[in-house]
Amino acid sequence: MEVFRVLAINPGSTSTKIAIYDNEKEVFETTLRHSNEEIEKYDKITEQYDFRKDVILKVLGENDINLTKLSAVVGRGGLLKPIKGGTYAVNELMIQDLKAAQMGEHASNLGGMIAFEIANQLNIPAFIVDPVVVDELEPVARISGMPEIARKSIFHALNQKAVARRFASENNKAYEELNLIIAHLGGGISVGAHEKGRVIDVNNALDGEGPFSPERTGGLPVGDLAKMCFSGKYTHADIKKMIKGKGGLVAYLGTNDGRDVVKMIENGDENAKLIFEAMAYQVAKEIGSCAAVLKGKVDAIILTGGLAYGEMLTNWIKARVEFISQVIIYPGEDEMSALAQGGLRVLRNEEVPQKYI
């Protein structure tokens, strides 16, 4: 069996994860931490490009990683224009859009940029895989109720698609044969309706839809929110932070760590139990709505993400939704493996790389 060596690069706000895979086997992995002092030197994310790239190359060199042995470089996909799911060959247009950051500033924008330069030097392909802007919504799912606002698809596409393929493989099926509901339970929560390989509906997990999460409010009563916005007590920035970053568990309980909440409950905190169960309740409601989208034809419900390690939360969700279909739990999110697998599918001719246009 031919061995393909893939370098995966996943930039976060204050760290950059890198890993080397020989086929599915991880042979090197590390997280490069960036201090606030290092990051604060730069006004824009794209200005960190040379700094982050140089650190990556330095660490690979220190660990005697021979770059000439690489078959491909795969970067985390950034905030591009909406695209369908899959593995994309990084091209000049994608680089232009990532540099311009027209869809927003995010550290993941650097993933494709750094992968492209390293790969170009080695004359090998560079890819991104299932970025957060994957958009496969049906037209009917885009209608919000207000013509000025269309519903958007922004969710944990990389992990949702990866666990969907994992479930399919473990059951000797193709992802494109299955109807799945996948709930990613992390700092943000996204619940997607996967119909035959396409996510035809999903809540905007970034910006105020669906269940509340450890750091985000999810959907809110809009009349009351409008009153807050025009009360004179809050700036636009205040409201944005309350919705994303300081909402959900943080707002109610002062922590974004589900393990802390479990300890509070075990110590007899009834309010903590109410809030944590309410989060499970809202996730279950969202799963129920996806079941309606899929007309009740659901092969499995999958719970994934960091919060899926917690039995208290997952048991509450299961109790409300297992009448719909079997509930499978794949805790955590192995983003590095998911990136590598996307590159491997193309290298093995199992998938044709998409073109960003």
Side-chain angles (χ1 to χ4, degrees), residues 182-194:
I182 302 180
H184 177 104
L185 312 175
I189 291 177
S190 61
V191 183
H194 296 237

Side-chain angles (χ1 to χ4, degrees), residues 131-288:
V132 295
V133 293
V134 164
D135 184 345
E136 299 166 339
L137 298 188
E138 290 287 297
V140 70
R142 300 184 189 280
I143 307 303
S144 70
M146 181 180 285
E148 293 83 0
I149 300 174
R151 293 188 65 243
K152 296 175 184 174
S153 175
I154 301 178
F155 71 110
H156 305 89
L158 182 63
N159 191 44
Q160 285 210 23
K161 293 268 188 179
V163 298
R165 293 187 182 99
R166 174 182 168 184
F167 175 81
S169 175
E170 289 177 358
N171 289 274
N172 298 311
K173 299 274 190 180
Y175 172 39
E176 293 74 17
E177 294 178 71
L178 298 170
N179 283 0
L180 303 169
I181 299 171
I182 302 180
H184 177 104
L185 312 175
I189 291 177
S190 61
V191 183
H194 296 237
E195 182 180 65
K196 311 297 187 210
R198 294 171 52 241
V199 185
I200 61 171
D201 203 348
V202 66
N203 63 295
N204 179 341
L206 181 68
D207 217 13
E209 267 194 340
F212 73 83
S213 76
E215 299 177 348
R216 299 168 194 173
T217 63
L220 294 168
V222 292
D224 290 332
L225 179 62
K227 287 179 185 176
M228 285 182 66
C229 291
F230 288 92
S231 68
K233 295 180 182 178
Y234 310 99
T235 65
H236 182 210
D238 291 337
I239 295 290
K240 284 175 66 177
K241 195 67 176 175
M242 291 166 76
I243 291 171
K244 181 179 63 180
K246 297 295 184 182
L249 293 184
V250 169
Y252 283 106
L253 302 174
T255 180
N256 63 358
D257 192 326
R259 293 166 298 185
D260 291 343
V261 180
V262 170
K263 288 177 185 174
M264 294 163 73
I265 295 169
E266 290 172 346
N267 289 330
D269 189 328
E270 289 297 322
N271 182 58
K273 181 181 178 183
L274 174 65
I275 300 305
F276 209 43
E277 188 170 4
M279 190 167 74
Y281 174 88
Q282 291 195 7
V283 172
K285 281 177 65 177
E286 197 73 15
I287 290 170

